[in-house]
Short mmCIF file of all heavy atoms in Angstrom, two decimals:
data_model
loop_
_atom_site.label_atom_id
_atom_site.label_comp_id
_atom_site.label_asym_id
_atom_site.label_seq_id
_atom_site.Cartn_x
_atom_site.Cartn_y
_atom_site.Cartn_z
N GLU A 49 -57.08 -2.48 16.44
CA GLU A 49 -58.09 -3.46 16.84
C GLU A 49 -58.12 -3.65 18.35
O GLU A 49 -59.15 -3.96 18.93
CB GLU A 49 -57.81 -4.81 16.18
CG GLU A 49 -58.23 -4.91 14.72
CD GLU A 49 -59.73 -4.91 14.56
OE1 GLU A 49 -60.44 -5.34 15.49
OE2 GLU A 49 -60.21 -4.45 13.52
N VAL A 50 -56.97 -3.48 18.98
CA VAL A 50 -56.91 -3.70 20.42
C VAL A 50 -57.72 -2.62 21.13
O VAL A 50 -58.55 -2.92 22.00
CB VAL A 50 -55.44 -3.70 20.90
CG1 VAL A 50 -55.39 -3.83 22.41
CG2 VAL A 50 -54.67 -4.83 20.24
N GLU A 82 -60.57 -22.58 11.67
CA GLU A 82 -59.91 -21.32 11.32
C GLU A 82 -60.54 -20.73 10.06
O GLU A 82 -60.76 -19.52 9.97
CB GLU A 82 -58.40 -21.56 11.12
CG GLU A 82 -57.55 -20.30 11.17
CD GLU A 82 -57.45 -19.59 9.83
OE1 GLU A 82 -57.43 -20.24 8.78
OE2 GLU A 82 -57.42 -18.34 9.85
N ASP A 86 -62.37 -17.11 10.22
CA ASP A 86 -61.89 -16.02 9.37
C ASP A 86 -63.00 -15.49 8.47
O ASP A 86 -63.18 -14.29 8.31
CB ASP A 86 -60.71 -16.52 8.52
CG ASP A 86 -60.18 -15.46 7.57
OD1 ASP A 86 -59.74 -14.41 8.06
OD2 ASP A 86 -60.21 -15.67 6.35
N LYS A 91 -60.73 -14.18 14.66
CA LYS A 91 -59.38 -14.73 14.65
C LYS A 91 -59.33 -15.92 15.59
O LYS A 91 -60.18 -16.06 16.46
CB LYS A 91 -58.40 -13.64 15.15
CG LYS A 91 -58.29 -12.48 14.19
CD LYS A 91 -57.83 -11.21 14.87
CE LYS A 91 -59.01 -10.40 15.36
NZ LYS A 91 -58.62 -9.08 15.92
N LEU A 94 -54.72 -20.48 19.06
CA LEU A 94 -54.58 -21.94 19.12
C LEU A 94 -53.83 -22.38 20.37
O LEU A 94 -52.76 -21.85 20.69
CB LEU A 94 -53.80 -22.41 17.88
CG LEU A 94 -53.44 -23.90 17.86
CD1 LEU A 94 -54.68 -24.76 17.69
CD2 LEU A 94 -52.43 -24.19 16.76
N LYS A 103 -52.41 -27.69 32.16
CA LYS A 103 -52.24 -26.89 30.95
C LYS A 103 -53.60 -26.37 30.46
O LYS A 103 -53.73 -25.22 30.04
CB LYS A 103 -51.59 -27.78 29.89
CG LYS A 103 -50.80 -27.07 28.85
CD LYS A 103 -49.30 -27.17 29.11
CE LYS A 103 -48.55 -26.24 28.18
NZ LYS A 103 -48.84 -24.83 28.42
N TYR A 107 -54.55 -22.46 30.06
CA TYR A 107 -55.01 -21.91 28.78
C TYR A 107 -56.35 -21.19 28.95
O TYR A 107 -56.58 -20.13 28.37
CB TYR A 107 -55.14 -23.00 27.72
CG TYR A 107 -53.85 -23.32 27.00
CD1 TYR A 107 -53.36 -24.62 26.91
CD2 TYR A 107 -53.12 -22.32 26.36
CE1 TYR A 107 -52.19 -24.92 26.23
CE2 TYR A 107 -51.95 -22.60 25.67
CZ TYR A 107 -51.49 -23.91 25.61
OH TYR A 107 -50.33 -24.19 24.93
N GLY A 113 -58.23 -13.95 30.13
CA GLY A 113 -57.46 -12.72 30.27
C GLY A 113 -57.31 -11.98 28.95
O GLY A 113 -57.26 -10.76 28.90
N SER A 114 -57.24 -12.74 27.86
CA SER A 114 -57.11 -12.14 26.53
C SER A 114 -58.45 -11.69 25.98
O SER A 114 -58.54 -11.27 24.83
CB SER A 114 -56.49 -13.13 25.55
OG SER A 114 -55.24 -13.57 26.02
N LYS A 251 -49.39 -52.16 10.00
CA LYS A 251 -47.93 -52.25 9.99
C LYS A 251 -47.45 -53.51 10.74
O LYS A 251 -46.55 -54.22 10.27
CB LYS A 251 -47.35 -51.00 10.67
CG LYS A 251 -45.85 -50.86 10.58
CD LYS A 251 -45.39 -49.60 11.32
CE LYS A 251 -43.90 -49.68 11.62
NZ LYS A 251 -43.49 -48.59 12.54
N LEU A 274 -55.07 -38.54 5.15
CA LEU A 274 -53.89 -39.38 4.94
C LEU A 274 -54.25 -40.86 4.80
O LEU A 274 -53.47 -41.62 4.24
CB LEU A 274 -52.92 -39.21 6.11
CG LEU A 274 -52.24 -37.85 6.15
CD1 LEU A 274 -51.75 -37.53 7.54
CD2 LEU A 274 -51.11 -37.83 5.15
N GLN A 276 -56.19 -42.28 2.88
CA GLN A 276 -56.30 -42.71 1.48
C GLN A 276 -54.94 -42.98 0.84
O GLN A 276 -54.86 -43.54 -0.24
CB GLN A 276 -57.08 -41.69 0.66
CG GLN A 276 -56.50 -40.29 0.68
CD GLN A 276 -57.36 -39.27 -0.10
OE1 GLN A 276 -57.17 -39.06 -1.28
NE2 GLN A 276 -58.30 -38.67 0.59
N GLU B 49 -56.02 -8.45 30.02
CA GLU B 49 -54.82 -8.46 29.18
C GLU B 49 -54.93 -7.46 28.05
O GLU B 49 -53.93 -6.92 27.59
CB GLU B 49 -54.61 -9.86 28.57
CG GLU B 49 -53.99 -10.86 29.52
CD GLU B 49 -52.54 -10.55 29.83
OE1 GLU B 49 -51.86 -9.95 29.00
OE2 GLU B 49 -52.10 -10.89 30.94
N GLU B 82 -46.29 -23.29 18.79
CA GLU B 82 -47.24 -22.97 19.86
C GLU B 82 -46.64 -23.36 21.21
O GLU B 82 -46.77 -22.63 22.20
CB GLU B 82 -48.57 -23.69 19.61
CG GLU B 82 -49.75 -23.14 20.41
CD GLU B 82 -49.87 -23.71 21.81
OE1 GLU B 82 -49.58 -24.90 22.02
OE2 GLU B 82 -50.25 -22.95 22.71
N ASP B 86 -45.96 -20.50 24.01
CA ASP B 86 -46.62 -20.59 25.32
C ASP B 86 -45.59 -20.60 26.45
O ASP B 86 -45.75 -19.93 27.46
CB ASP B 86 -47.48 -21.85 25.35
CG ASP B 86 -48.16 -22.06 26.70
OD1 ASP B 86 -48.94 -21.17 27.10
OD2 ASP B 86 -47.90 -23.08 27.35
N LYS B 91 -48.92 -15.90 23.02
CA LYS B 91 -50.05 -16.62 22.44
C LYS B 91 -49.90 -16.67 20.93
O LYS B 91 -49.16 -15.87 20.37
CB LYS B 91 -51.35 -15.87 22.79
CG LYS B 91 -51.67 -15.90 24.25
CD LYS B 91 -52.55 -14.73 24.66
CE LYS B 91 -51.73 -13.55 25.12
NZ LYS B 91 -52.53 -12.44 25.65
N LEU B 92 -50.60 -17.58 20.31
CA LEU B 92 -50.42 -17.79 18.87
C LEU B 92 -51.73 -17.60 18.12
O LEU B 92 -52.71 -18.32 18.37
CB LEU B 92 -49.88 -19.20 18.61
CG LEU B 92 -49.41 -19.45 17.18
CD1 LEU B 92 -48.12 -18.68 16.91
CD2 LEU B 92 -49.20 -20.93 16.94
N LEU B 94 -53.42 -18.25 14.66
CA LEU B 94 -53.14 -19.14 13.53
C LEU B 94 -53.89 -18.70 12.28
O LEU B 94 -55.09 -18.45 12.32
CB LEU B 94 -53.57 -20.57 13.90
CG LEU B 94 -53.50 -21.59 12.77
CD1 LEU B 94 -52.06 -21.89 12.40
CD2 LEU B 94 -54.23 -22.87 13.15
N LYS B 103 -55.23 -13.68 0.38
CA LYS B 103 -55.47 -14.13 1.75
C LYS B 103 -54.26 -13.78 2.63
O LYS B 103 -54.42 -13.34 3.76
CB LYS B 103 -55.70 -15.64 1.71
CG LYS B 103 -56.51 -16.21 2.79
CD LYS B 103 -57.95 -16.49 2.36
CE LYS B 103 -58.82 -16.81 3.57
NZ LYS B 103 -58.95 -15.71 4.49
N TYR B 107 -54.43 -11.41 5.89
CA TYR B 107 -53.99 -11.87 7.20
C TYR B 107 -52.95 -10.93 7.80
O TYR B 107 -52.96 -10.64 8.99
CB TYR B 107 -53.43 -13.29 7.12
CG TYR B 107 -54.46 -14.39 7.19
CD1 TYR B 107 -54.54 -15.39 6.23
CD2 TYR B 107 -55.36 -14.46 8.25
CE1 TYR B 107 -55.48 -16.41 6.30
CE2 TYR B 107 -56.30 -15.47 8.34
CZ TYR B 107 -56.36 -16.44 7.36
OH TYR B 107 -57.28 -17.44 7.45
N GLY B 113 -53.39 -5.07 12.61
CA GLY B 113 -54.50 -4.43 13.32
C GLY B 113 -54.67 -5.00 14.72
O GLY B 113 -55.07 -4.31 15.65
N SER B 114 -54.38 -6.29 14.87
CA SER B 114 -54.51 -6.94 16.18
C SER B 114 -53.29 -6.69 17.05
O SER B 114 -53.19 -7.25 18.13
CB SER B 114 -54.70 -8.45 16.00
OG SER B 114 -55.81 -8.71 15.19
N GLN B 115 -52.36 -5.86 16.55
CA GLN B 115 -51.17 -5.47 17.33
C GLN B 115 -50.34 -6.66 17.77
O GLN B 115 -49.84 -6.67 18.89
CB GLN B 115 -51.60 -4.67 18.57
CG GLN B 115 -52.65 -3.62 18.32
CD GLN B 115 -52.07 -2.33 17.77
OE1 GLN B 115 -51.16 -1.78 18.32
NE2 GLN B 115 -52.60 -1.88 16.65
N LYS B 251 -48.19 -45.85 -3.35
CA LYS B 251 -49.54 -46.34 -3.60
C LYS B 251 -49.72 -46.71 -5.09
O LYS B 251 -50.31 -47.74 -5.42
CB LYS B 251 -50.54 -45.24 -3.20
CG LYS B 251 -52.00 -45.65 -3.23
CD LYS B 251 -52.89 -44.48 -2.84
CE LYS B 251 -54.32 -44.72 -3.30
NZ LYS B 251 -55.15 -43.52 -3.14
N LEU B 274 -46.05 -39.43 10.63
CA LEU B 274 -46.90 -40.44 10.00
C LEU B 274 -46.13 -41.35 9.07
O LEU B 274 -46.58 -42.46 8.77
CB LEU B 274 -48.02 -39.75 9.23
CG LEU B 274 -49.06 -39.09 10.14
CD1 LEU B 274 -49.82 -38.02 9.39
CD2 LEU B 274 -50.01 -40.15 10.68
N GLN B 276 -43.63 -43.10 9.54
CA GLN B 276 -43.21 -44.36 10.16
C GLN B 276 -44.36 -45.37 10.20
O GLN B 276 -44.13 -46.53 10.52
CB GLN B 276 -42.66 -44.10 11.56
CG GLN B 276 -43.62 -43.41 12.51
CD GLN B 276 -43.00 -43.13 13.88
OE1 GLN B 276 -43.06 -43.93 14.78
NE2 GLN B 276 -42.39 -41.96 14.00
#
Side-chain angles (χ1 to χ4, degrees):
Chain A
E49 281 291 332
V50 176
E82 198 274 325
D86 178 60
K91 293 156 269 186
L94 174 69
K103 206 102 190 65
Y107 275 127
S114 303
K251 188 182 162 190
L274 290 158
Q276 57 183 270
Chain B
E49 281 291 332
E82 197 275 324
D86 178 60
K91 293 156 268 186
L92 191 71
L94 173 69
K103 206 101 191 65
Y107 276 127
S114 304
Q115 316 278 308
K251 188 181 161 190
L274 289 159
Q276 57 182 271

